[in-house]
Amino acid sequence: MIEMARKKSNSSVMIVSVIIVVLIAGFFTYKSGMFSDKAKGKITVYSIFQEEEARKILDKFKAETGIDYEVLRLPSGEAVTRVQNEMGKPQADFLMGGPADSHEVLKKAGALESYISKNASDIPDNMKDKEGFWTGFYLNPVAIGINEQRWKEKYGSAPYPQTFKDLLDPKFKGEIGMSDPATSGTAYTAVASLAQVWGKDEMLKYVGQLLPSLKERPKSGIEPIQKAAKGEYTIGVTFLGDQLKIKNQGNPIVSIVPEAAGYEVGGLAIVKGGPNTANAKKLMDYMLTNEPGVLYSESAMAVSVKPGVPVPKNGIDIKTTKYNQSYSLWKAADQRKELQDALKNLK
């Protein structure tokens, strides 16, 4: 009897010890965040934002949620192709930035996850997909960017070009950079808007006349203004925000937003079937708060779609420009393959 009591007592001690160990482990697990609001895990982001801009936001997201990230910077055309090619086994969770017409292409391909964030309620209807396959983040028109110093050296006091057709002047041959509409969302936005205003045939005729004047057609939409700022040529056709960002770094850039200039609604989207969809939804919710909007606007000099985010210091209120307010990104998405195929035939 005594032996049985001793065994029973030892068992009770062991059970109590196990319970204590579990409670202590649970306490430290809680303190470390596993059961707190800071969800563990990772997220893979394909970013059309410049990498430093994406990291500023993602670092804040990581600090608030405990979710680590990997980011790969891609031009929008390459990002679209990559997401489509990976549909059988998605590698990314989230697509950050790039014109919304690119997101429309991915939506129609079945590559995106529908998710309507509670934080999207104050975003205008024409800046988000009504089914939640993408949501707008910023607004950015196409502009003609000019290196003022090189302009004075080449053209003296001549007036700056005010329209797209002004760029056809023979004196600009070899002095213009514009990215390739087949790979860059920037250039595609420019020509898609011209097609909507002028008609497809007139746009193709114009681009055919413009191409011989181009110094180069890089893949990335920001490169033309970066190289114009360095004095490699005089004019870069890019998004306005890229020009303002480079100007604020001390470069002699002046920007003109001409009539018929299209604009990008920079979109955010969740990749369907990605490895970490739950975390991607958390990132979408975070992106649609004011803090990331302010961070991006101040860094990229783009205008936020959120009413509570002000125009950045030294930025431009695009309502004061001549951009094409009737530009339809949905029509641009529908025409994308047709127009790009036609543009590929131009030399």
Side-chain angles (χ1 to χ4, degrees), residues 108-324:
K108 291 177 180 179
L112 301 181
E113 178 90 10
S114 173
Y115 177 64
I116 299 177
S117 170
K118 62 183 182 297
N119 296 331
S121 60
D122 60 346
I123 296 174
D125 288 343
N126 66 335
M127 296 181 189
K128 62 188 176 186
D129 177 56
K130 64 182 180 181
E131 298 174 288
F133 285 98
W134 60 266
T135 305
F137 184 66
Y138 62 86
L139 189 65
N140 206 0
V142 174
I144 298 169
I146 298 164
N147 182 321
E148 292 180 285
Q149 183 176 329
R150 186 175 172 92
W151 180 275
K152 289 176 183 177
E153 294 170 358
K154 301 283 292 185
Y155 309 113
S157 59
Y160 296 137
Q162 298 295 314
T163 70
F164 283 111
K165 289 189 175 179
D166 286 346
L167 298 179
L168 297 179
D169 191 317
K171 70 184 179 184
F172 297 137
K173 185 176 177 64
E175 290 296 324
I176 305 171
M178 185 175 82
S179 52
D180 191 334
T183 60
S184 166
T186 305
Y188 179 73
T189 299
V191 300
S193 181
L194 296 181
Q196 290 180 24
V197 175
W198 299 345
K200 174 185 172 181
D201 292 343
E202 182 66 21
M203 179 275 288
L204 290 173
K205 179 181 176 182
Y206 168 77
V207 175
Q209 293 173 324
L210 179 65
L211 290 181
S213 292
L214 297 182
K215 175 75 171 180
E216 63 173 357
R217 282 181 280 169
K219 287 185 177 181
S220 174
I222 195 174
E223 275 189 61
I225 198 61
Q226 290 174 326
K227 292 185 175 181
K230 293 176 183 177
E232 294 184 28
Y233 38 79
T234 306
I235 299 168
V237 180
T238 69
F239 283 128
L240 175 64
D242 293 332
Q243 297 174 17
L244 294 176
K245 178 181 176 182
I246 288 173
K247 179 179 181 178
N248 287 338
Q249 292 170 351
N251 295 289
I253 300 296
V254 63
S255 299
I256 294 108
V257 179
E259 290 183 10
Y263 61 88
E264 70 166 333
V265 172
L268 308 171
I270 297 171
V271 178
K272 186 174 183 179
N276 300 289
T277 300
N279 287 341
K281 290 179 179 179
K282 290 183 174 68
L283 178 57
M284 180 68 83
D285 289 340
Y286 174 71
M287 292 294 295
L288 299 179
T289 61
N290 281 356
E291 183 181 41
V294 170
L295 281 173
Y296 186 77
S297 292
E298 290 179 348
S299 178
M301 301 304 294
V303 177
S304 175
V305 300
K306 298 280 286 186
V309 177
V311 175
K313 182 181 178 181
N314 299 322
I316 292 177
D317 184 348
I318 64 170
K319 293 177 184 175
T320 66
T321 72
K322 298 178 180 179
Y323 82 101
N324 177 13

Side-chain angles (χ1 to χ4, degrees), residues 81-118:
T81 299
R82 187 165 184 143
V83 171
Q84 286 181 310
N85 289 343
E86 292 174 351
M87 284 178 65
K89 189 178 181 181
Q91 301 300 302
D93 303 295
F94 198 89
L95 189 59
M96 181 182 284
D101 55 89
S102 297
H103 293 258
E104 274 288 304
V105 170
L106 290 173
K107 170 190 170 180
K108 291 177 180 179
L112 301 181
E113 178 90 10
S114 173
Y115 177 64
I116 299 177
S117 170
K118 62 183 182 297

